[in-house]
Each structure stands twice: as structure tokens, then as C-alpha cells.
Amino acid sequence: MTKVSILTLLSSLKSSLVNKKNWLSFITGLSLVFAYAPFSQWYLSLFIPAIVFYHLAKQPPKKSAKLMFIFAFGWFASGISWVHVSIDQFGGLPLTVSLGLMLLLCLYLALFPALAAYLTAYFSNKKQLNLWLLMPFWLISEYLRSVVFTGFPWLSLGYSQIDSPLAKFAPLIGEVGITALVILINVCLVKIVYSLKQNSKNTLTYPIALIFMITTLSYGLANVNWVQVTGKTTKVALVQGNVAQSIKWAPEQEWPTMLKYLDLTRVNYDADIIIWPESAIPAVEPAVQDYLSTVNQSALLNNSAIITGILNYNFETKEYFNSLIVLGNKQDEDEQGYYYNHNNRYSKNHLLPIGEFVPFQELLRPIAPLFNLPMSSFSRGNYMQHNLIAKNLHILPLLCFEIAFPHQLAANLTKQTSLLLTVSNDAWFGNSHGPHQHMEIARMRALEFGRPLLRSTNNGITAVIDHHGNFIARIPQFEEGVLKTEVELVTGVTLYSLWPRLILVLMIIIPLILNVFLQTQEKKEH
């Protein structure tokens, strides 16, 4: 690199650091974390992005992308800071290296909103940014974020609205549709400000009308019942073992942990279904057959069913699977409940990079302990699998990270599905906002698909959610305990559960058509 090019680079860097718009974008991005759980100030999502959108106007594509990139970097830097807890505490890396990895992750995620801004500016005319295009391009970029490199769709804007009036749209258009509405409201606010600034009352009509229409529909949808309560209930018990991550896989803790779950269960056999969290049994399934047989017989004697997380090892293919199995669950007099390789099981499909599989492992594993975490060499289960069956109920399972992928849930939903189940071990992330955001995502799935949801975790948040996405019951984090409650069963389907991919496509195409109309009207009024 020549001396001139270095000086040019340094000059550009200095210019960026003193640019007020850049700092404003970064700070507004940082503040967006408060819209999500555990802070849950949902209204922030409805105007904070507008601050950046306002400054995108009259910017060429590259500058628009740069401003959005800075905003998104702040958004992810604060929003997923909880990831650093696991890297720092269990990765075995120096602080500077772990912070560097977090920096790279946030920079990568910021590329997707930046892409949306770039495309919006690129397809606008040279004189004025067409903000109406931002909504469809944002959805396209968010879809890419959910699939590229296995996907990381965390902090999608729609999740922040689980407790807002916009949540009523979830059974109709899903979280993706709510994200589109959040972007649309922010764009409308910018349009209103520009109209007032230019003293153009005529251009106020459409953004105000759109916000009014969205508000009216949200309250109207509150009266729509997508599914119906059947009058039947089932009693559930969710066990939270609160086993510290630092000792979870220690060999000497294997039996104490298994006995702890059995002891917590013994006094709760009056429940129909008992749930243990992800990898509650810290051993491979073939190695603990005597223990599993004992638990199975105990559940059978008490006419109950236990669903537990466990690791399975296939000796023929030499593959590990992160699995859920059903113990007990006597369906008839000849039923013996669980036995090894019983088909009443589920194996995780959507694995978490680094945590459950290591890409380019031959290259990365020798570098640092981060790439050799316990149980980080899993194989994928099938994308579509049978629901688990417990006490004659069909239960759709998703393991940990999978709850963030609605299309996978939709692919496995059947007319017989009574409950959604997600189990997790968020002990990796300590007392951060990560587990709260995880719970927020799970609540959105219950609302989108109109089914009660059970969420059992090692150290919280363990909770039961109704088909409206509201808490029925929950127990505190970092406490050993059992959550017992009754769950009302429902019947029927939501519109979103029928056509999630079609709705995504429509949420992209309809705004493009709407854009043509709005642009034509704005030109006439100017």
C-alpha cells in the first residue's frame, strides 16, 4: 500500500469519526436494545429507526448503506452483547480476541440492513431517496440474514412488539409482517416530518392515513379468535435443575445431575406431562439405559410421560444427535413406553455454529478451546419429523435456537398438534438479556401459530405460554424448582401457520405495488 493510499484511508477514517450523522446513527442503534426484553419498551422501535431513515434522504447508495451499517452495528453490538458471555467464560480466549470475534459478528450482521439501504437508494431516483422501497428491501435482507451461513435471525424488529398492539397481527402475517409494519410506520414518520418541513400539507395525507389504518386494524384484530378453546386441559410440570454450566459436563457430576432430576420429578407425578430441559441427562443415551429404564418404569407406574433432552450416539454411523425422548407414556396395556431407538423421539435439525458444529473444523479446532466446546460435533436430524406423542397429545418440539425459525415450525405443524415445546440450556449466557430475548421469540411463535407453548430450561427462563403469547406461569432464573400448571388446549389454525412463505412473498410484493401508487400521487401533488 502506497503512502498516498494510507494517508487517504486515514483521512477517510478521521472524517467518519467526526461526522455527526455517523455518531447519531451509532447511538440510536445502541439504544434500540431497550425495545426488546427484558426492557420491553416496544414503542422505541416505532420511531428510533426513523431517526436514521430521515438522514438517508438525498444520499447516494454507498452513503446510505454506510449510515445504515453504522446504525445496525450499534443495534447488534448492544442487542447481542450476551453472546460475549459464552465466548469470554467458556471460549478460553484472551479478552482482546473474544472482543474481536464479537466485533466481527456484529459487523457481519450489520451488512444486511446496510444492503437494504443500498438497494433502496440504488432503485430510487438520483434527486430523492424513495423510502417507500425500504420496507420490501428490508424484508429481503432480513430473510437473507435468517438463511445465510445457517442464519441468525435474532433481534428482528417484529419481536420487540410482542406486548404492543401490533402483536395482534402475528396470527395473520407473523413476526415478519409485524417487522414490515414497524418499518412502514417509521417511514411514515419521516414522510410526515419532511412534509411539515417543506410546508407541503398535501403529502401528509398518505403517511397519516397508513398509520391510522395500521392502528385501527391492530385494535380490530384484537377481537378476532383464530383458534378456539376446546374445554380440555392437561397438567404439566417443567423441571428446572439449575446446573451450573461449568460443571454440567464434568464426569463426576453425571449421576448427581441425573438423580437431581429424578428427585425433583418424584413428587410431581400427578402431572400428565413432565418436561426436563435440553441435555438434562448429561450422558449419551446408549450409556445410561439402566437409568432410563428406571425412569421409564417410574413414569409408567404413575401414568405419566416424561420428555427429556439427551445426547444420542449412533454406533453404526458414528454420529451424535442432540435429541428429545419420551419416557413412560403408556398408550395401551401392552405398551412398554421407552426403549432404545424408540421412534417417539426428536433430533435437532438447525444446529448452532461453533456451539453444536464447527465449520472448517480441521482448520479451526486446533486454534482455541472456543472451537472445542463440549458436545460441539452434532449431526443434523431431519428437517421434517413426527410430533412427539405424550398422553395422547401431539407435541411439536424445537430445540433451543430452532425456535427462531418459524418456517421449520410450520413444516412440522399438523392438524393434530396440541402443544409447542422448546427446551434450552441458556446457562451459557449467564445473567444477560439473551435468555429474555429467547423467551420473547418463543412467545411470538405461540402467538403466530395459535398454540400453547412449554419452555423448559436448565436455569431459566422456564415458562408456560398460552396461545395468545401471554405467560400462564413462570419460575425465576437461577433457581432449582418445578413449574406446575394446567394448560388449556385449543383447536383451529391461524392464517400465518398455513402460508408463512407465501405471506413473506406477499409482504415484499404488495409494498412494491403500493410504492408505484404512492410515487405517482406524490409526483402529481408536487
Side-chain angles (χ1 to χ4, degrees):
M1 185 178 287
T2 65
K3 183 178 179 181
V4 175
S5 62
I6 292 174
L7 290 173
T8 303
L9 179 63
L10 290 173
S11 176
S12 175
L13 179 61
K14 180 181 177 181
S15 176
S16 296
L17 288 174
V18 299
N19 189 301
K20 292 181 180 179
K21 287 183 180 179
N22 290 349
W23 280 108
L24 179 64
S25 297
F26 179 66
I27 292 169
T28 53
L30 284 176
S31 66
L32 199 53
V33 67
F34 295 106
Y36 299 89
F39 313 103
S40 302
Q41 304 301 305
W42 55 264
Y43 54 87
L44 295 176
S45 294
L46 302 181
F47 71 86
I48 281 181
I51 298 171
V52 179
F53 295 174
Y54 177 86
H55 291 287
L56 293 179
K58 297 184 180 179
Q59 298 283 353
K62 288 184 179 179
K63 287 189 176 181
S64 294
K66 179 182 176 182
L67 272 180
M68 186 62 78
F69 180 83
I70 294 169
F71 166 77
F73 174 70
W75 174 24
F76 290 116
S78 60
I80 63 165
S81 57
W82 49 270
V83 175
H84 185 256
V85 176
S86 61
I87 297 176
D88 182 53
Q89 293 186 10
F90 306 105
L93 297 172
L95 180 62
T96 52
V97 178
S98 63
L99 288 174
L101 288 173
M102 276 300 301
L103 174 66
L104 289 174
L105 176 60
C106 294
L107 290 173
Y108 162 72
L109 294 173
L111 291 172
F112 294 95
L115 174 64
Y118 180 86
L119 293 175
T120 301
Y122 184 82
F123 287 100
S124 300
N125 62 56
K126 295 181 179 179
K127 294 182 179 180
Q128 181 73 39
L129 182 76
N130 180 7
L131 275 176
W132 297 118
L133 287 173
L134 186 58
M135 176 177 154
F137 285 132
W138 188 282
L139 294 187
I140 291 171
S141 69
E142 285 292 86
Y143 174 73
L144 292 174
R145 184 160 72 92
S146 73
V147 296
V148 175
F149 299 134
T150 78
F152 190 70
W154 219 267
L155 290 186
S156 184
L157 289 170
Y159 290 121
S160 68
Q161 302 301 300
I162 186 63
D163 291 313
S164 86
L166 291 182
K168 304 305 179 185
F169 282 94
L172 179 65
I173 54 178
E175 183 276 330
V176 64
I178 297 175
T179 292
L181 295 179
V182 170
I183 295 297
L184 182 58
I185 289 170
N186 278 275
V187 169
C188 286
L189 290 178
V190 175
K191 290 287 184 179
I192 290 170
V193 171
Y194 268 107
S195 296
L196 294 174
K197 187 177 179 181
Q198 297 168 359
N199 198 25
S200 176
K201 295 182 179 179
N202 291 333
T203 55
L204 279 171
T205 305
Y206 296 107
I208 290 176
L210 284 170
I211 291 176
F212 177 78
M213 182 177 68
I214 292 169
T215 304
T216 303
L217 281 173
S218 67
Y219 284 101
L221 287 170
N223 298 315
V224 178
N225 293 314
W226 299 94
V227 298
Q228 296 77 43
V229 175
T230 63
K232 298 178 181 178
T233 63
T234 187
K235 186 181 290 186
V236 299
L238 281 61
V239 182
Q240 182 169 289
N242 196 34
V243 179
Q245 190 60 39
S246 58
I247 65 170
K248 181 171 176 61
W249 297 108
E252 66 273 14
Q253 292 296 321
E254 181 179 301
W255 272 100
T257 298
M258 293 193 297
L259 292 175
K260 170 186 278 194
Y261 277 99
L262 189 54
D263 288 341
L264 289 170
T265 299
R266 280 196 181 104
V267 294
N268 292 287
Y269 275 124
D270 56 326
D272 299 310
I273 302 170
I274 300 167
I275 311 293
W276 295 0
E278 181 183 18
S279 62
I281 300 173
V284 291
E285 189 178 346
V288 287
Q289 284 299 293
D290 289 343
Y291 172 80
L292 293 174
S293 295
T294 298
V295 179
N296 179 63
Q297 288 301 317
S298 183
L300 285 173
L301 287 171
N302 289 278
N303 195 28
S304 186
I306 297 173
I307 301 175
T308 181
I310 194 169
L311 310 181
N312 187 22
Y313 180 72
N314 188 312
F315 285 98
E316 293 182 1
T317 62
K318 297 183 179 180
E319 293 177 307
Y320 284 97
F321 295 93
N322 190 358
S323 301
L324 285 167
I325 56 174
V326 182
L327 304 167
N329 194 51
K330 190 172 184 178
Q331 302 295 321
D332 55 55
E333 290 302 319
D334 298 324
E335 178 65 53
Q336 69 179 58
Y338 167 84
Y339 53 86
Y340 185 59
N341 274 339
H342 190 293
N343 61 9
N344 199 5
R345 63 174 57 237
Y346 173 79
S347 295
K348 188 175 183 181
N349 167 265
H350 206 120
L351 303 178
L352 183 66
I354 307 303
E356 293 177 312
F357 80 97
V358 179
F360 313 110
Q361 59 179 332
E362 293 81 6
L363 176 66
L364 294 178
R365 285 195 182 277
I367 294 176
L370 172 66
F371 305 111
N372 285 284
L373 294 172
M375 307 305 160
S376 58
S377 298
F378 289 113
S379 297
R380 298 180 187 276
N382 294 328
Y383 185 73
M384 294 183 65
Q385 299 180 50
H386 295 296
N387 286 186
L388 299 177
I389 298 177
K391 299 296 290 184
N392 294 313
L393 296 178
H394 289 243
I395 302 173
L396 194 161
L398 294 167
L399 263 161
C400 193
F401 186 51
E402 291 181 315
I403 197 65
F405 298 90
H407 294 160
Q408 182 180 343
L409 195 162
N412 290 279
L413 189 74
T414 71
K415 292 180 179 179
Q416 290 77 36
T417 301
S418 298
L419 297 168
L420 306 180
L421 168 66
T422 180
V423 299
S424 184
N425 177 26
D426 286 344
W428 292 102
F429 309 112
N431 189 20
S432 67
H433 47 259
H436 298 273
Q437 293 174 358
H438 205 173
M439 184 75 253
E440 193 171 56
I441 292 170
R443 291 177 61 198
M444 184 62 75
R445 294 291 92 84
L447 180 57
E448 286 174 331
F449 290 88
R451 287 293 182 274
L453 179 141
L454 314 178
R455 184 172 191 262
S456 180
T457 68
N458 172 31
N459 68 340
I461 302 168
T462 294
V464 178
I465 310 300
D466 68 13
H467 60 284
H468 297 298
N470 298 319
F471 287 104
I472 295 174
R474 52 183 162 173
I475 53 179
Q477 284 183 287
F478 314 114
E479 290 185 13
E480 178 184 302
V482 179
L483 187 160
K484 288 180 69 174
T485 189
E486 289 196 2
V487 183
E488 285 189 318
L489 303 178
V490 299
T491 186
V493 294
T494 64
L495 186 69
Y496 179 73
S497 68
L498 294 173
W499 302 295
R501 294 189 184 276
L502 175 61
I503 286 171
L504 171 61
V505 172
L506 291 176
M507 294 303 296
I508 294 171
I509 292 175
I510 292 174
L512 291 174
I513 297 172
L514 180 63
N515 167 71
V516 175
F517 171 76
L518 291 174
Q519 283 293 100
T520 303
Q521 293 302 311
E522 287 184 0
K523 286 179 181 178
K524 287 180 181 179
E525 289 165 359
H526 279 297

